[in-house]
Amino acid sequence: MAGRVRPITLVGTPVLHQACRPVDDFGEALRELADDMFASMYEAEGVGLAANQIGVDLRVFVYDCPDADGERRKGVVVNPVLELPALDDRRLDDDEEGCLSVPGPHARLARPDRAVVHGFDVTGTEVTVEGTGLLARCLQHETDHLEGRLYIDRLSARARKKVLKEYEALRAESQAS
Ligand code: ZN
């Protein structure tokens, strides 16, 4: 694996809180970015990673994540567009969620249990990824990142505060030791 492990940006870093720019150059640099993203995701033991989580302001995410059948799915999506089931057709999955950019805590967050993402691979070929189970959650979580939105921004004010408090406490602890 060619990628280079890069530090993960943490909540509060501006690049995480603004919408990323669309990719218009499907060249070598994009391939390198995807390799670095995979390497960084595996190092951090995540199931998905958005480019702004390694400080790059571009609409790209990678994933390596099981679906509802336990099948491992892996890929890169560039310029993703998320499609969710229609409201009457939507079932919510009320599972726990966490984020490498808010390391430590998890919180329950209801999301649709199916999601589809349309976009491109690193060569510019169109791809469609259909996700169920954890992969459905991952596809939504990563496209949110590219809009500058963290999962904690979807929590109640109270739950958000609790997550951030736990995160800060863990950080203070690790800096003290
Ligand atoms: Zn995340």
Side-chain angles (χ1 to χ4, degrees), residues 27-115:
E28 187 52 34
L30 181 62
R31 215 152 312 170
E32 279 171 20
L33 171 64
D35 285 347
D36 286 1
M37 287 171 65
F38 273 115
S40 306
M41 175 180 75
Y42 290 132
E43 176 72 19
E45 296 180 0
V47 293
L49 188 86
N52 48 353
Q53 290 187 278
I54 56 166
V56 176
D57 169 34
L58 284 174
R59 302 180 72 84
V60 184
F61 73 78
V62 297
Y63 62 95
D64 185 342
C65 180
D67 64 16
D69 300 322
E71 195 182 321
R72 187 174 156 197
R73 309 269 303 275
K74 177 184 165 182
V76 187
V77 187
V78 179
N79 297 341
V81 176
L82 181 70
E83 189 187 311
L84 295 174
L87 278 175
D88 343 352
D89 204 29
R90 203 174 275 190
R91 268 189 324 213
L92 293 179
D93 163 26
D94 185 26
D95 234 325
E96 295 234 315
E97 192 161 322
C99 179
L100 297 176
S101 294
V102 194
H106 289 82
R108 220 162 256 292
L109 175 60
R111 291 197 190 256
D113 68 352
R114 306 185 73 86

Side-chain angles (χ1 to χ4, degrees), residues 99-129:
C99 179
L100 297 176
S101 294
V102 194
H106 289 82
R108 220 162 256 292
L109 175 60
R111 291 197 190 256
D113 68 352
R114 306 185 73 86
V116 176
V117 159
H118 303 280
F120 302 86
D121 68 12
V122 287
T123 67
T125 304
E126 279 188 46
V127 291
T128 294
V129 185

Side-chain angles (χ1 to χ4, degrees), residues 53 98-101 141-142 145 150-151:
Q53 290 187 278
C99 179
L100 297 176
S101 294
H141 181 111
E142 302 313 329
H145 266 302
L150 299 181
Y151 86 97

Side-chain angles (χ1 to χ4, degrees), residues 134-147:
L134 184 59
L135 181 59
R137 181 171 295 276
C138 175
L139 296 175
Q140 295 171 71
H141 181 111
E142 302 313 329
T143 47
D144 268 357
H145 266 302
L146 301 178
E147 296 301 335

